[in-house]
Every structure is written in C-alpha cells, then in structure tokens.
C-alpha cells in the first residue's frame, strides 16, 4: 500500500498531465500579454478618417408672405416719469493707467449704443465702412454721471485738452467728464460753419448748449503709393491732427479786433507751424488756414492718425482739414489766391454727405471730389470728369419710366362691351349713373338707360371705376416751436432762431352716397422752401390705401412722423445770411387701382406736373421746378467775415 503521508514526486523527464497543463497555461499568459501591449500601441497610433461626404437633397424654402395693413400704426404709449433722489457722490478722478488699452480706459465698448444706420451728418454717420475714423464725444459741461458741472469755464475745457495731449492722447484724461455712448464714423473732416449745437446733436446729445464739448476721432492714414503730404487746417475753436504719435497740425482760434477769445495762445507750446510764411495767409472757412508738417507715406503702410476737434466757447463752429500732395499742381483760389486744395478723405464722399457740406462751405474753400483718397484698397489720386463744371452742379438727371407718368384726369371710357345678368351683351359708352339706372350712349349715338340691378357684377364693378366718388381733401400741418438752446454764457450772443417741429397729414371726406368698393391710394407730399435760394425740399411723403365703402363716417385721415425744419446763420456777427428750410407747399393725390389720378390738390399748382419725380426723389433732398435733384444753395465769398477784406 502507498503511504498517504508521503509527498508525490515528479520524476525528472517523466511526462505527466500536470506538466502539460503548466506549459499550456504559461504559453497562454505570454500570448495574452503580447496581445495587450500590441493593442495599446495600435490605439495610440490610430488616426481619425472623416467619412465620405454624403449628397443630401436640397429643399427650396419658400419665403413666408405676411400681409401688413398700411394704415396700421403703433399704439401710443404712456411715459411714466418718477423723481429719484440721486445719491451725492464726490467726483472721482481716475489715475493714469499704463499697460491698459483704450478699450478699457477710454472706450467701454460693451456699453456703446448700437449704430443708427440712417444717421448721416457732417460729423459722421452711425455706420462704419471699415476705412473711416471712429469718433467719441465728451462734454465738459457734465460730469461722468451726467450731472451738471456748475461753473464750467472755457479755461477748464482748454486745460482738459492740454492734459489729454500731455498724457499722450490717453482718453482717460477725460474720464472726469460725460462721454456719449454713441459713436460716429467719418471719412472726412469737413465740418463747415454751423451753430455749435450741431456737434452734440450729431452724437445724439440733443438740446445741449454748443460750448464745452470735445470730439476725438481715431483711424489710420494709408496711401497706395509713396507720397509726401501735409495738412492745411482751420479750427473754430480747435482742430488738432496727430500722426504716428506726433502732432502734425494744430489750428485754433487766434482772436482779433480786440476779441479776447484767443484760444491759440494756450496751445503754442504743443505745436507751431513750420511754415509761418504760408500759415494764416489764405482764407479757409471763417478763419485762415494753418499749414502743417510734411508727412512721408510709404505705399500701403498705415500709420495711426487721430483728430481732435473742440468748441469751448459756443456760437458758430467750423473745422476744415485739407491736404496737399507734394509735386501736384493746384489751381489758385480766386478769392484769396492760395492753392485750392482737396478735402482730406479716406473714401469718395456720397452725394448725401457732399450736399450737407456744400450747403455751408464756401465754393472757393476746398474741393470735395477728386484728388487723393487715403486707403489702400481703392485709394490713390482720382481724376474728375467734367472738371470744368462746378462739383455741386454735377447731377445725373432722374430718368422716369414712361409708364410712371400718371394722367391727372381719368380717360374717357369709350365704346366697350357691357354684360347683363341674362347673358345679353351690348356695346355702348357709359356716360353717367342717374338714380337706379346706368346711362349709355350707343354706337349710333342713341341714349340707353339700363337698370343697375340687371347688369352683371363685372359691369357694375367697371361702372364704379368710371364714376368714382368725390372727396373733400384737407392737407394738415401742425407746428410746434422747439425750445431754444443756450448759445454761450461767455458773451451777450443773439439767440438762434428756434427749430420748428412739423407734423404733416391729410384728411379725406367722401361726398355723396355712391357705392365704390375699389381701393384708392391717398398720397401727400409736404414741400419745404429754401429761405436763401430758388429751390425746394421734399420734407415728407406718405400714402395710405382705403376702400370708400369701408370708411367710418365717410372720413379717413393719417399723418407722418415729426419733421424738423431749421433756419440757421453761418456767422455770429448779427449780420449773418441765413440758411435753412421753411414750409413751402403741398400736393395731395387720390389714385385708383388703374393708376389714374381721379382727384388732386396742390399749392403751388406746378407740383402736379412733376409728381413722377417726387415719387422717386429721396426725402429731405432739394429739387427745382422741373423735378430735377439739385444742390442746396451755397454761401458765397462775400458772406465772409469783415477781417478777410481788410
């Protein structure tokens, strides 16, 4: 028997199932280890391969059609005003911060008002085109919170600007004062003689006195080819130009004839003209031009450029920036015999903007068309066609399609087919409706009376078109005189003429009881007249469509949004010529669905003859008696201040 306590021994070299099992398991574990390592390595090297693009069927989307009732108007809202006691807080002057961009210190972009794309003013528009200068408005009459800066003086505004210049043109120098959230974008600095209130108004600060304000513009100066240029500038009170961190022109009001408003003396330490023999010699705007430093431009290489304008005193303001290119020949200004230069611009000016500048700019001061355009995309020197024609007269004639000329009276009906309910058809000319009968004239001239109740619906509808109702047409105009704004606290100035707020409209009242189920279009045109010129302005144009049988009490009325008219002087010496627009007339038309004017009222009477032109003329633009768009009247050199003639 085998002893149970005796351990089993494996004989060397003796095969057994146990040994075989060990060998098999060892081989399996080794293979598994190799597989795991191989799998990990392969996973790290795996690269993503995008799937092949799949062609998906495209479906055409239909634009939803929404019917909008023309006569629908927004409901009026009630404005609730409550008085809030403001906490009294001391004005805090922020320390100069280095290493932080203007986006934080000077321009908190997140709080800017969204641009109004409709704004176009001489100080800029609400929309950027990319190669313009962005302007920021500051008002030293108010603190940062918007509260009044009581006791503000002209000297305080001057010192604020000097501090700004000494700090390297850091906007934080103005952090004590109010900053408008609205930005303006401009491609030129041709801000001719206007009341100083126009500056704040352009930045959305309406009804603000026109003194103690500053506008700071930032952009780039670039030209597509090598060039050497210098600026000619005029500032009332101050315009300063800085290129690549260096002031290259500073023009400010020097004062004369005992006038103690000598702004220039405060800024002589900042910059002085390198060419005194040319500066203060040639008239520009309401002062004399200051000649700046020569600037070398390399093709396509931009340089940072800033322009600061400021009105410290109020009254009339004027900022003009022209450019001279070395090597170019310029015509002589026939008034002062200096060079007639081009306006500095980074883009060709639109007609709308040129008109605003033309209306206040002396014709001999500067050229708005042609010359250098400072951008690297479509810039360079531009030659002007028809250069022998004054630029403010270069208008393209408005072409009106022949089918747009509407007759002022309905055409005769003529012989046509008329159907009856019993299917019978007669050929005759409709003449009139008498009671319950329609009266026709046959081909042979015989009068035929047919009861209206026997005519088909199509014939009754045609009779309505041929016999529209008559209306009483009342053109309405309500006027409100707006509050006057303080001109200046620094001298006894004549107040500016108050602006007028006009609301134009029309009321129609149907006469008689004739049934008329066809739509009629009521349209009015409000016309302004230039106070210093022989042309007119389209102030407003509105239309509504009505169906007479649906008129409540046979009446209908509508009106447009308020329209502001303004008369302004271009000088502040009490003998200034005036510019501006006042109410000058109206045109009201009633047009049926055929495009036929069935009734009209106008004053002056010639307006009806140019109606097709008034339909396509932009609102706010000038036109003549032929319906052509024309330039606003311009000041002439004899309107200039007396010192130019001494």
């Amino acid at each position: 028997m085998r002893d149970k306590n005796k351990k089993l021994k494996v004989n060397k070299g003796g095969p057994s199932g146990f040994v075989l099992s060990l060998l098999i398991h060892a081989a399996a574990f080794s293979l598994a280890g190799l597989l795991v390592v191989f799998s990990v390595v392969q996973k790290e090297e795996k690269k993503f391969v995008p799937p092949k693009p799949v062609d998906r069927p495209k479906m055409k989307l239909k634009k939803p059609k929404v019917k909008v009732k023309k006569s629908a108007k927004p409901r009026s809202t009630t404005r609730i005003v409550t008085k809030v006691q403001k906490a009294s807080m001391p004005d805090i002057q922020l320390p100069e911060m280095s290493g932080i961009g203007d986006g934080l210190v000077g321009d908190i972009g997140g709080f800017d008002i969204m641009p109004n794309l409709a704004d176009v003013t001489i100080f800029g528009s609400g929309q950027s085109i990319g190669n313009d200068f962005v302007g920021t408005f500051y008002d030293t009459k108010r603190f940062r919170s918007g509260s009044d800066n009581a006791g503000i003086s002209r000297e305080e505004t001057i010192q604020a600007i000097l501090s700004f210049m000494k700090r390297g043109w850091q906007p934080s120098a103005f952090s004590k004062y109010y900053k408008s959230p609205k930005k303006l974008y401009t491609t030129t600095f041709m801000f001719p003689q206007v009341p100083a209130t126009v500056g704040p108004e352009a930045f959305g600060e309406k009804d603000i006195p026109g003194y103690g304000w500053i506008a700071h513009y930032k952009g780039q100066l670039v030209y597509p080819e090598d060039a050497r240029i210098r600026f000619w500038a005029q500032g009332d009170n101050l315009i300063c130009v800085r290129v690549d961190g260096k002031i290259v022109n500073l023009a400010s009001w020097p004062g004369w004839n005992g006038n103690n408003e000598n702004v220039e003396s405060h800024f002589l330490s900042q910059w002085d003209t390198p060419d005194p023999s040319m500066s203060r010699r040639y008239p520009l705007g309401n002062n004399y031009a200051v000649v700046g430093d020569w600037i070398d431009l390399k093709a396509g290489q931009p340089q940072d450029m800033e322009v600061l304008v400021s009105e410290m005193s109020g009254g009339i303001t004027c900022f003009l920036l022209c450019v001279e290119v070395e090597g170019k020949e310029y015509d002589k200004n026939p008034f002062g015999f200096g060079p007639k230069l081009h306006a500095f611009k980074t883009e060709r000016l639109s007609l709308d903007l040129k008109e605003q500048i033309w209306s206040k700019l002396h014709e001999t001061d500067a050229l708005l068309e042609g010359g250098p355009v400072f951008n690297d995309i479509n810039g360079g020197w531009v030659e002007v066609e028809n250069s022998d024609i004054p630029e403010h007269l270069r208008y393209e004639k408005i072409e009106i399609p022949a089918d747009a000329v509407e007759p002022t009276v309905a055409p005769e009906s003529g012989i046509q087919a008329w159907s009856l309910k019993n299917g019978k058809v007669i050929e005759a000319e409709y003449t009139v409706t008498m009671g319950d009968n329609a009266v026709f004239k046959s081909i042979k001239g015989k009068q035929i009376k047919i009861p209206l109740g026997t005519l088909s619906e199509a014939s009754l509808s045609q009779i309505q078109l041929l016999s529209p109702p008559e209306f009483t047409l009342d053109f309405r105009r309500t006027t409100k005189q707006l509050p006057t704004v303080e001109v200046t606290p620094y001298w006894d100035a004549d107040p500016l003429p108050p602006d007028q707020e006009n609301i134009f409209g029309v009321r129609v009242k149907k006469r008689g009881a004739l049934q008329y189920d066809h739509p009629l279009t009521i349209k009015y045109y409000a016309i302004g007249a230039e106070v210093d010129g022989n042309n007119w302005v389209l102030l407003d144009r509105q239309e509504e469509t009505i169906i007479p049988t649906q008129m409540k009490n046979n009446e209908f009325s509508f009106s447009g949004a308020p329209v502001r008219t303004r008369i302004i002087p271009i000088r502040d010496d009490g003998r200034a010529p005036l510019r501006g627009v006042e109410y000058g007339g109206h045109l009201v038309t009633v047009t049926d669905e055929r495009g036929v004017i069935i009734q009209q009222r106008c004053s002056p009477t010639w307006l009806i003859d140019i109606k097709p032109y008034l339909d396509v003329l932009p609102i706010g633009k000038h036109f003549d008696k032929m319906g052509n768009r024309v330039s606003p009247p311009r000041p002439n050199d004899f309107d200039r201040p007396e010192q130019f003639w001494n």
Side-chain angles (χ1 to χ4, degrees):
M1 291 183 64
R2 182 178 293 177
D3 188 354
K4 294 181 179 179
N5 296 325
K6 192 175 181 179
K7 295 182 178 178
L8 294 175
K9 294 183 179 178
V10 178
N11 294 328
K12 185 177 179 181
S16 69
F18 181 72
V19 172
L20 183 61
S21 175
L22 287 175
L23 292 173
I24 292 172
H25 281 80
F29 279 119
S30 299
L31 180 60
L34 290 173
L35 288 174
V36 170
V37 172
F38 180 79
S39 176
V40 170
V41 172
Q42 286 294 99
K43 188 173 182 180
E44 289 179 351
E45 293 179 353
K46 187 178 293 183
K47 295 182 180 179
F48 175 75
V49 178
K52 295 181 179 180
V54 179
D55 292 332
R56 300 179 183 272
K58 294 184 179 179
M59 181 181 296
K60 286 189 176 181
L61 299 179
K62 294 184 178 180
K63 186 177 181 181
K65 296 182 179 179
V66 181
K67 291 185 178 180
V68 180
K69 190 176 180 183
K70 280 189 176 182
S71 58
K73 296 183 179 296
R75 297 179 61 184
S76 60
T77 58
T78 303
R79 190 178 184 185
I80 302 175
V81 181
T82 59
K83 292 185 177 180
V84 180
Q85 186 68 31
K86 292 183 179 180
S88 177
M89 297 181 65
D91 294 321
I92 302 174
Q93 176 66 50
L94 295 180
E96 187 68 40
M97 302 176 71
S98 59
I100 301 179
D102 292 346
L104 176 61
V105 180
D107 300 319
I108 307 178
F111 294 92
D112 291 343
I113 288 178
M114 290 298 290
N116 183 348
L117 305 186
D119 289 346
V120 177
T121 75
I122 59 174
F123 285 89
S125 68
Q127 181 181 21
S128 172
I129 62 172
N131 57 334
D132 41 31
F133 288 75
V134 56
T136 306
F137 176 87
Y138 301 93
D139 187 3
T140 63
K141 298 185 299 298
R142 290 175 285 173
F143 291 117
R144 185 177 183 177
S145 63
S147 60
D148 290 341
N149 180 9
I152 175 68
S153 65
R154 184 169 52 205
E155 286 68 27
E156 180 176 345
T157 307
I158 291 173
Q159 291 304 317
I161 296 172
L162 287 172
S163 175
F164 169 77
M165 292 177 175
K166 292 174 182 177
R167 294 186 186 185
W169 288 54
Q170 284 295 324
S172 58
F174 299 136
S175 60
K176 173 182 176 181
Y177 301 108
Y178 173 82
K179 183 180 80 168
S180 174
K182 180 176 181 178
K183 303 288 187 182
L184 286 183
Y185 303 88
T186 186
T187 58
T188 186
F189 296 94
M190 298 301 288
F191 309 156
Q193 295 159 254
V194 292
T197 54
V198 175
E201 186 178 291
F203 283 91
E205 305 295 325
K206 295 185 177 180
D207 303 322
I208 299 299
Y211 61 90
W213 59 264
I214 303 162
H216 178 211
Y217 294 85
K218 299 178 70 174
Q220 287 191 322
L221 175 65
V222 61
Y223 201 60
E225 57 189 60
D226 290 353
R228 195 167 191 243
I229 69 167
R230 63 179 178 180
F231 293 116
W232 292 53
Q234 188 265 307
D236 178 7
N237 291 137
L238 171 72
I239 181 171
C240 187
V241 184
R242 185 176 187 245
V243 175
D244 201 21
K246 176 187 174 184
I247 294 177
V248 295
N249 198 312
L250 190 155
S252 54
W253 194 258
W256 49 57
N257 297 336
N259 189 333
N260 61 0
E261 190 191 356
N262 191 343
V263 176
E264 184 181 49
S265 61
H266 294 82
F267 294 95
L268 291 177
S269 61
Q270 300 300 308
W271 181 88
D272 198 7
T273 176
D275 196 345
S277 64
M278 296 289 286
S279 283
R280 299 292 185 197
R281 180 176 175 183
Y282 302 111
L284 184 62
N286 61 344
N287 209 307
Y288 293 94
V290 173
V291 181
D293 295 325
W294 285 106
I295 306 166
D296 292 315
L297 301 178
K298 295 296 182 182
Q301 295 183 12
Q303 300 184 51
D304 291 335
M305 177 171 165
E306 299 172 72
V307 178
L308 182 137
V309 298
S310 176
E311 177 57 60
M312 302 104 173
S313 307
I316 299 295
T317 198
C318 180
F319 311 102
L320 302 175
L321 188 65
C322 299
V323 63
E324 177 187 2
V325 179
E326 189 178 54
K328 295 290 184 179
E329 294 186 3
Y330 295 88
D331 293 335
K332 292 292 183 182
N333 184 326
F335 177 73
F337 304 108
K340 190 172 183 180
L341 301 174
H342 296 93
F344 169 76
K345 52 188 177 292
T346 60
E347 187 56 80
R348 300 186 190 189
L349 307 184
S350 68
L351 179 58
D352 290 343
L353 178 56
K354 285 189 290 189
E355 282 186 339
Q356 291 200 37
I357 299 173
W358 281 336
S359 63
K360 285 95 179 173
L361 183 71
H362 294 275
E363 186 175 344
T364 59
D365 276 347
L367 298 169
L368 302 185
E369 294 181 351
V373 177
F374 290 89
N375 70 63
D376 55 355
I377 304 299
N378 57 355
W381 191 273
V382 177
E383 296 291 346
V384 178
E385 297 180 4
N386 301 322
S387 58
D388 56 328
I389 302 174
E391 56 184 355
H392 64 287
L393 299 178
R394 297 175 198 148
Y395 280 81
E396 293 185 5
K397 185 175 177 60
I398 300 175
E399 297 295 338
I400 302 296
D403 57 0
V405 180
E406 301 171 353
T408 57
V409 293
E412 295 182 359
S413 61
I415 300 293
Q416 55 184 293
W418 301 91
S419 60
L420 281 67
K421 288 181 178 178
N422 60 11
K424 205 173 177 183
V425 176
I426 63 169
E427 290 189 354
E429 179 183 356
Y430 169 78
T431 57
V432 70
T433 298
M434 298 179 62
D436 294 331
N437 296 311
V439 181
F440 298 88
K441 186 167 60 174
S442 68
I443 297 176
K444 295 181 179 181
K446 184 179 177 181
Q447 190 179 77
I448 306 172
K449 289 185 179 180
I450 300 178
L452 292 172
T454 64
L455 291 168
S456 67
E457 290 186 6
S459 293
L460 289 173
S461 177
Q462 183 67 9
I463 286 174
Q464 282 190 12
L465 281 174
L466 296 174
S467 55
E470 290 187 5
F471 296 92
T472 300
L473 303 178
D474 291 329
F475 180 78
R476 294 183 164 187
R477 170 182 170 244
T478 59
T479 304
K480 180 175 69 174
Q481 183 170 297
L482 299 176
T484 57
V485 180
E486 181 185 18
V487 176
T488 178
Y490 304 127
W491 67 82
D492 188 16
D494 294 332
L496 294 172
D499 290 354
Q500 303 286 334
E501 185 180 81
N502 305 272
I503 297 179
F504 303 105
V506 67
R507 185 187 72 166
V508 297
K509 186 172 183 179
K510 180 175 170 288
R511 298 175 184 171
L514 283 177
Q515 186 82 0
Y516 194 88
D517 300 309
H518 298 269
L520 294 174
T521 299
I522 316 296
K523 195 168 187 177
Y524 77 76
Y525 310 76
I527 308 300
E530 270 288 351
V531 298
D532 185 27
N534 58 354
N535 57 37
W536 288 263
V537 181
L538 181 59
L539 297 177
D540 194 16
R541 178 182 59 221
Q542 301 292 335
E543 67 177 71
E544 295 285 352
T545 299
I546 62 170
I547 297 177
T549 53
Q550 299 177 6
M551 292 169 60
K552 187 176 181 181
N553 298 325
N554 289 329
E555 289 188 9
F556 179 76
S557 62
F558 66 98
S559 59
V563 177
R564 178 178 275 193
T565 55
R566 167 178 290 171
I567 298 174
I568 61 173
I570 61 170
R571 288 168 57 186
D572 53 8
D573 57 5
R575 296 177 289 110
L578 298 178
R579 298 281 182 270
V581 177
E582 57 189 0
Y583 172 70
H586 66 271
L587 169 64
V588 182
T589 60
V590 183
T591 308
D592 67 14
E593 63 185 27
R594 300 170 300 171
V596 173
I597 298 176
I598 62 172
Q599 199 171 337
Q600 53 91 5
R601 171 180 174 174
C602 62
S603 174
T605 57
W606 52 264
L607 287 171
I608 189 65
D609 299 327
I610 63 169
K611 178 186 182 299
Y613 294 91
L614 297 179
D615 285 328
V616 297
L617 183 73
I619 293 176
K621 303 309 173 187
H622 293 245
F623 63 95
D624 60 17
K625 280 190 174 184
M626 302 301 293
N628 300 312
R629 182 174 175 177
V630 297
S631 169
R634 303 188 67 179
N636 59 65
D637 288 312
F638 295 96
D639 294 335
R640 292 182 187 269
E642 295 259 343
Q643 71 271 6
F644 288 165
W645 301 97
N646 293 337

